[in-house]
């Protein structure tokens, strides 16, 4: 779905400079910068984010909820985006984070075996933990295990959603299995604070960072929550990191060549990025004259997500994207090689952090 359509047709709001300034003021008090994902429009849209900021400024706490469907053993670079961002928000606001592992979803939709999902789930949990969450304020749960605590809210939600609403919202059809139609209640339930005993008496508002494809769940959720006497959850949406195959394609765990995985070696990363789609021109002369098409250039787009320094990104944008008289100039190979450095380093840091995770720490994260 295009960013514009989401905003115009589905009633999301753009993240305005005013909102970003409010977040930046909070960040400055904590000696943090505004996150690059915010500075660069990677998270670009929201619903009711100002209510979360009002709560924070009025010293009312809130909690953050996000999740992951364990469809593959290793996360890829695109999967990391909401988790890195959520860990930043946790640091910024000092709040509780709950992370849902939808093992049920992948069983119903992907037709993976329970055994396979079990293995993927544990592996995904470790990748998520490696993103830097506060162990004392983070709870990761699998639906098949936590269902006992969620079921009353799941029932309340199911009672408020009709089949036709579910069909219209998710495109499910009569021929799909009945679990698929009702799954949405499972994904909505953690947006109700009463799903978690430690939050039950707090009446806290919920903020849900997510990729824009998850918005339909919470559009429905925002409909249902007030009828269950809970606040509507606030949402903040990111776009998608393009696949190595370029524009308009999403990274996919089932296509090893489409994505960089957090388990990849530096050699694999170099090979994949060198083979990625480029927006550079065919000949050196044309590149010098016309510059590259940055929108379709995978290496540049990955740098836009992950290079820490804004000035360096701007310099790359000019030197590579502008043709004509702008100097200095960069060629595709140079941009790719900078991208390889940045991404290899990110993956290495992730692997090191993941290697520190003990079974004891996993238990701590998975207990509330
Ligand atoms: N459905 C999501 C996926 O397939 C997982 C998920 C569950 C999620 N709850 C969420 C994502 C809340 C964002 C926010 O990966």
């Amino acid at each position: 779905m295009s960013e514009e359509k989401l905003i115009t047709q589905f009633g999301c709001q753009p993240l305005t400079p005013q909102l970003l300034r409010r977040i930046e003021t909070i960040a400055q008090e904590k000696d943090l910068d505004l996150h690059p994902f915010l500075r660069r429009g990677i998270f670009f849209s929201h619903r009711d984010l100002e209510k979360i900021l009002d709560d924070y400024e009025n010293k009312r706490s809130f909690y953050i909820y996000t999740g992951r469907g364990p469809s593959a053993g290793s996360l890829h670079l695109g999967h990391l985006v909401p988790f890195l961002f959520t860990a930043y928000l946790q640091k910024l606001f000092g709040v509780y984070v709950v992370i849902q592992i939808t093992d049920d979803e992948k069983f119903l939709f992907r037709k993976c075996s329970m055994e396979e999902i079990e293995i993927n789930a544990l592996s995904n949990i470790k990748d998520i933990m490696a993103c830097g969450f506060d162990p004392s304020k983070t709870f990761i749960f699998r639906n098949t295990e936590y269902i006992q605590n969620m079921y009353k809210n799941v029932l309340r939600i199911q009672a408020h959603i009709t089949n036709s609403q579910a069909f219209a919202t998710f495109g499910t059809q009569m021929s799909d299995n009945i679990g698929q139609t009702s799954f949405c209640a499972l994904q909505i339930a953690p947006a109700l604070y009463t799903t978690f005993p430690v939050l039950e008496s707090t009446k806290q508002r919920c903020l849900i960072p997510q990729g824009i494809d998850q918005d339909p769940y919470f559009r429905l959720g925002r409909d249902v929550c007030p009828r269950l006497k809970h606040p509507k959850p606030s949402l903040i949406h990111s776009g998608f990191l393009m696949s190595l195959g370029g524009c308009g394609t999403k990274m996919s765990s089932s296509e090893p060549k489409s994505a960089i995985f957090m388990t990849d070696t530096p050699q694999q990363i170099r090979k994949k990025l060198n083979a990625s789609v480029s927006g550079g021109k065919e000949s050196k002369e044309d590149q010098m004259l016309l510059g590259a098409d940055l929108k379709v250039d995978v290496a540049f787009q990955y740098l836009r997500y992950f290079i820490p320094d804004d000035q360096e990104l701007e310099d790359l944008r000019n030197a590579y994207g502008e043709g004509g008289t702008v100097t200095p100039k960069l060629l595709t190979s140079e941009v790719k090689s900078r991208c390889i450095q940045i991404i290899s380093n990110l993956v290495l840091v992730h692997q090191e952090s993941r290697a520190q995770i003990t079974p004891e720490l996993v238990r701590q994260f998975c207990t509330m």
Side-chain angles (χ1 to χ4, degrees):
M1 192 188 316
S2 76
E3 299 186 358
E4 196 163 307
K5 191 165 156 198
L6 192 81
I7 290 176
T8 53
Q9 204 167 322
F10 289 108
C12 297
Q13 303 295 319
L15 270 178
T16 58
Q18 291 90 310
L19 272 173
L20 294 183
R21 262 200 302 280
R22 270 178 86 180
I23 301 172
E24 190 169 26
T25 306
I26 297 166
Q28 279 162 352
E29 287 162 11
K30 300 270 169 93
D31 258 338
L32 293 169
D33 289 326
L34 194 61
H35 197 282
F37 292 165
L38 290 170
R39 302 201 300 261
R40 298 174 193 169
I42 299 209
F43 279 79
F44 65 93
S45 136
H46 75 99
R47 296 178 190 268
D48 284 346
L49 182 64
E50 61 285 343
K51 294 197 175 152
I52 290 287
L53 299 177
D54 290 347
D55 275 1
Y56 183 79
E57 287 162 4
N58 293 314
K59 310 224 172 327
R60 273 194 304 269
S61 199
F62 62 91
Y63 73 103
I64 302 181
Y65 156 44
T66 191
R68 154 97 200 128
S71 56
S74 170
L75 297 198
H76 61 53
L77 215 49
H79 291 141
L80 231 56
V81 169
F83 294 110
L84 292 171
F85 188 61
T86 300
Y88 164 83
L89 292 179
Q90 179 175 55
K91 205 179 278 161
L92 182 64
F93 294 111
V95 293
Y96 218 95
V97 170
V98 297
I99 300 174
Q100 178 179 52
I101 305 295
T102 53
D103 46 4
D104 49 352
E105 177 187 18
K106 296 305 155 188
F107 179 75
L108 292 165
F109 286 82
R110 289 287 179 98
K111 319 265 177 341
C112 304
S113 72
M114 285 288 185
E115 292 70 26
E116 195 184 333
I117 293 171
E118 180 84 6
I119 294 166
N120 291 344
L122 177 60
S123 173
N124 287 184
I125 287 170
K126 290 183 186 167
D127 274 328
I128 293 168
M129 287 167 61
C131 290
F133 292 96
D134 176 350
S136 68
K137 284 189 182 157
T138 307
F139 176 49
I140 307 180
F141 60 98
R142 304 172 202 204
N143 283 355
T144 56
E145 289 176 2
Y146 197 64
I147 186 68
Q148 222 184 349
N149 301 280
M150 289 193 285
Y151 198 45
K152 281 185 186 160
N153 276 341
V154 167
L155 287 169
R156 292 180 179 116
I157 295 162
Q158 285 176 340
H160 281 85
I161 297 175
T162 63
N163 285 306
S164 36
Q165 263 179 314
F167 285 173
T169 310
F170 302 103
T172 34
Q173 293 172 1
M174 289 298 268
S175 56
D176 287 321
N177 70 53
I178 57 174
Q180 291 186 4
T181 318
S182 60
F183 167 73
C184 57
L186 268 298
Q187 185 155 330
I188 294 168
L192 302 167
Y193 60 84
T194 47
T195 295
F196 304 99
V198 301
L199 300 175
E200 191 155 9
S201 59
T202 64
K203 300 207 162 58
Q204 285 183 10
R205 200 180 283 285
C206 175
L207 170 65
I208 314 177
Q210 60 195 277
I212 52 171
D213 64 329
Q214 302 297 308
D215 184 71
Y217 287 101
F218 301 112
R219 237 171 22 239
L220 261 190
R222 283 166 52 85
D223 226 47
V224 174
C225 286
R227 295 197 266 157
L228 302 179
K229 313 245 176 312
H230 280 68
K232 289 185 184 192
S234 298
L235 319 178
I236 181 163
H237 306 104
S238 71
F240 284 105
L241 191 63
M242 62 167 70
S243 85
L244 292 161
C247 233
T249 57
K250 217 171 105 172
M251 283 195 169
S252 158
S253 333
S254 45
E255 301 238 6
K257 285 212 191 102
S258 75
I260 296 198
F261 290 91
M262 303 320 290
T263 44
D264 282 351
T265 62
Q267 292 77 1
Q268 284 171 315
I269 294 173
R270 176 156 38 78
K271 238 171 121 176
K272 285 182 180 183
L273 283 171
N274 275 333
S276 69
V277 167
S278 151
K281 298 291 181 293
E282 292 278 322
S283 68
K284 191 172 168 182
E285 292 68 37
D286 277 359
Q287 174 62 30
M288 294 293 159
L289 199 64
L290 305 165
D293 184 352
L294 300 181
K295 281 194 305 301
V296 305
D297 194 276
V298 172
F300 181 80
Q301 288 302 322
Y302 288 11
L303 286 166
R304 189 178 145 241
Y305 273 67
F306 295 113
I307 202 170
D309 184 349
D310 284 352
Q311 188 56 52
E312 189 181 354
L313 182 66
E314 262 331 283
D315 292 347
L316 283 166
R317 186 191 300 282
N318 292 327
Y320 183 47
E322 298 292 320
T325 53
V326 173
T327 50
K329 286 211 179 341
L330 283 176
L331 294 174
T332 295
S333 57
E334 295 165 299
V335 174
K336 281 190 172 172
S337 105
R338 185 65 181 127
C339 183
I340 290 166
Q341 277 172 357
I342 293 283
I343 301 300
S344 312
N345 183 55
L346 179 103
V347 172
L348 201 70
V349 168
H350 181 89
Q351 289 171 354
E352 280 168 5
S353 152
R354 194 183 196 276
Q356 306 292 317
I357 295 170
T358 59
E360 180 46 39
L361 198 59
V362 174
R363 258 194 304 281
Q364 193 182 343
F365 270 92
C366 296
T367 317
M368 195 171 209

